[in-house]
Amino acid sequence: MKVASIGLGLIGGSFALALQEHVLEVEIWGIDHNQAHIEAALARKIIHHKGSIDDLKNFDLIVLSIPVDAASALLPEILHQAEKECLVIDMGSTKNDVCEAVKNHVKRNQFLALHPIAGTEFSGPKAAFASLFNNAMMIVCEAEKTDENLKKKAYQILQKLKMQLHFMSPKEHDKHLAYVSHLSHVSSFMLGKTVLDLEKNEGEIFNLAGSGFESTVRLAKSNSKTWIAIFKQNKAEVLTSLKEYQQNLKEFEKLLETNQFSELENLLNSTSRIKEILAKK
Amino acid sequence: MKVASIGLGLIGGSFALALQEHVLEVEIWGIDHNQAHIEAALARKIIHHKGSIDDLKNFDLIVLSIPVDAASALLPEILHQAEKECLVIDMGSTKNDVCEAVKNHVKRNQFLALHPIAGTEFSGPKAAFASLFNNAMMIVCEAEKTDENLKKKAYQILQKLKMQLHFMSPKEHDKHLAYVSHLSHVSSFMLGKTVLDLEKNEGEIFNLAGSGFESTVRLAKSNSKTWIAIFKQNKAEVLTSLKEYQQNLKEFEKLLETNQFSELENLLNSTSRIKEILAKK
C-alpha cells in the first residue's frame, strides 16, 4: 500500500509508525512544509521517502494530519488530485469545517473524516510513537458519505491498529469536544499564565508546585499554532463552554466570598461523579 | 520513639509508614474520629495501637494531619497536653491560621509548622504509601519560634525521609500555595462541574474524553471536606488568585469572540515558559 502522509507531527508521525507496525507492505511518502520534520521523520524511519503536495497521484491512501485550518483549506485540492481508488482521511480535532469544505466536492465519497482520541502534550515527529492509537477511540463523522469499499478499507486498517470506532455527526463532535478537550486546553493555558504573572513579582514560586499543579497545566505545553486553529474553527462551541465554565467559577467565588461554606461544599460534592467516570477510563 | 499520629488519611498514614521504614524503633498510636480509618490503619500496620486525643502524655512526637480547620481548633489543647520533650508537628496545606492559633501559647516552642508538597487525589488510610514523601519538598514555617533541640530532632527525621527543607513565612506560604495548588483545585472542580452539567442533556459525553481532560479534572476527585477547610482558611489569597485567573479567561474569551487571532496566539505563547518549568520538575 502506497501512503502519502501529509503532516509529520505527533499524530501523522505516530499514524505512519502504526501503519508500518500493523499493515503489511506499506510504503510511506512524507510531506511537511517544515524541512526539519521531513529530516527527522526520515531519520526515525517514520517515512520512507520525501513526497510533494503537488504530486499525489498513485497513492492508495492519503493521510492529512495538519492544523485544522490548513486541512480545511487544502483538502479540496488534495481530493482533486487523488486517483479513483485512493482513500483520503483527515485526523483533525474539529470536524465541521473540514466536512463543510468538501460537502459538494465531486470526489466527496473518497474522503473519510476521522478524529483519534489520542495525543500527548508533545508535538513534532520526535514525539511520535507507534502505540499512540492502541485501544484508543477513533471518531468517524459522516460515514454515510464515503464509498463503501473505501470505508471498508479504512475500517480494516483501524481495526488492525486496535482502534474503537465511534460514529457521530460533525456538529455533535465539535460540541462535545469543546467541553471534554478544547475547554481543558483553555483552562490549562490560562492557569499557566496566571501563575507565570505572579512569578514576575514573587520569584521561585514554581519550586512549590506539586503534582496537582503539574497535572492541571500540563496541556499548556501544547503547540499554540495547532490550538489557535482549533479554537478558531470551533469558536462558537468553545465560547459556549468557556462561558459556562466562567459562570461556575463565579458561583464558586461568590459562595467563598460570602462565607456560604455548606453551599460551597454542596458545589464541590456535585462533582463527585467525576471519580466514577475517571475510574472507568 | 513513641508517636501519636492524629489523622490517619493519605498524609498521616503515609507519614506513619515512612517513619516505620526510615526511623528505628518507632511505635505509633493512631487517633482518628473515623473508626473505619483506625481499623484500616491497624490492618495495614500503619499504626500499632489505637490512641486517644485525651491522652497525649508520654509521646516523643505528635503528628497532626487533619483538615486545616480542625488543626487550628485542636492544636492549642494538643500542645497543652504535650510533655516537655515532645515535639508537635502539623502537616496542613495552610499555615497562617494554625500559626496564629498558637502564637501566644506557652508551649509555642514545642510546635513546628510543616507542609509536605506531596499528595495524590486519593484519600484515607487505604491510599497511604511509605514513599509518598521521598525527595519531596517540606515547607517549614516560623522555624525560628521552635526550640533548637526539638527542631534538630525534626530535621533529622525529615532527612531520613529524604525530604528537602524549604523555609518561608506563613503568609508567603499561603499566598504561593493559593496560586500553585489551591487555584488548580478550584479549576479542576469547576471544570468537572461544567462537563457534568452538559452530560445531563448530552448523555455519553465522557466516552469522548481523552487523557487531556483526565489530567485537568484529576484534582476534582479530591476530598471535598479537606478542600472546603483549605479554601475557608486561605480565603483572601484563593479569591485573589481566582480573580486573576478569571481575568485571564475573560481576556481569552474577548480575543476569540472578536477574532483577534494573532493576539490570541501571543497570549498562548506567553505561557510557553511552562514547558521549561515543568521539564525541570
Side-chain angles (χ1 to χ4, degrees), chain A residues 199 224 243 253 269 273, chain B residues 199 224 243 253 269 273:
Chain A
E199 190 204 24
S224 61
K243 281 178 209 291
E253 183 190 349
N269 285 334
R273 233 174 67 68
Chain B
E199 191 204 22
S224 60
K243 282 178 209 290
E253 183 190 349
N269 285 334
R273 233 176 66 68

Side-chain angles (χ1 to χ4, degrees), chain A residues 117 119 137 139 166 168 175-176 179-180 183-184 186-199 202 205-221 224-225 228 231-232 235 238-239 241-246 248-250 252-253 256-257 259 261 264-265 267-271 273-275 277-278 281, chain B residues 117 119 137 139 166 168 175-176 179-180 183-184 186-199 202 205-221 224-225 228 231-232 235 238-239 241-246 248-250 252-253 256-257 259 261 264-265 267-271 273-275 277-278 281:
Chain A
I117 304 297
M137 183 177 286
I139 301 177
H166 191 88
M168 59 202 306
K175 177 173 185 175
H176 285 191
Y179 283 81
V180 296
L183 180 59
S184 286
V186 178
S187 152
S188 248
F189 277 118
M190 291 305 99
L191 204 53
K193 175 162 166 44
T194 306
V195 183
L196 285 166
D197 287 348
L198 181 74
E199 190 204 24
E202 299 281 336
I205 185 166
F206 289 103
N207 286 343
L208 307 178
S211 59
F213 176 73
E214 204 168 330
S215 175
T216 49
V217 301
R218 182 171 71 85
L219 299 177
K221 296 196 259 177
S224 61
K225 283 228 179 298
I228 283 293
F231 296 141
K232 191 172 176 176
K235 177 178 159 177
V238 169
L239 284 173
S241 69
L242 179 55
K243 281 178 209 291
E244 286 176 26
Y245 177 49
Q246 289 179 96
N248 284 324
L249 291 170
K250 191 52 83 182
F252 182 101
E253 183 190 349
L256 182 57
E257 203 143 40
N259 301 319
F261 297 112
L264 192 59
E265 195 171 337
L267 183 65
L268 299 194
N269 285 334
S270 74
T271 70
R273 233 174 67 68
I274 285 287
K275 287 184 212 186
I277 290 163
L278 295 183
K281 294 195 77 72
Chain B
I117 303 299
M137 182 176 288
I139 301 177
H166 191 88
M168 59 203 304
K175 178 173 186 174
H176 284 191
Y179 283 82
V180 296
L183 181 59
S184 287
V186 179
S187 152
S188 247
F189 277 118
M190 292 305 99
L191 203 52
K193 175 163 165 46
T194 306
V195 183
L196 284 167
D197 287 348
L198 181 73
E199 191 204 22
E202 299 282 336
I205 186 166
F206 287 103
N207 285 342
L208 308 178
S211 60
F213 175 73
E214 206 168 329
S215 175
T216 49
V217 301
R218 181 172 72 84
L219 299 176
K221 297 197 260 177
S224 60
K225 284 228 177 297
I228 283 291
F231 296 140
K232 191 172 175 177
K235 176 177 159 177
V238 170
L239 284 174
S241 69
L242 179 55
K243 282 178 209 290
E244 288 176 25
Y245 178 48
Q246 289 178 95
N248 284 323
L249 290 172
K250 190 53 83 184
F252 182 102
E253 183 190 349
L256 182 56
E257 203 144 40
N259 300 320
F261 297 113
L264 192 58
E265 195 170 334
L267 183 65
L268 298 193
N269 285 334
S270 74
T271 70
R273 233 176 66 68
I274 285 287
K275 286 184 214 188
I277 289 163
L278 296 183
K281 295 195 78 71

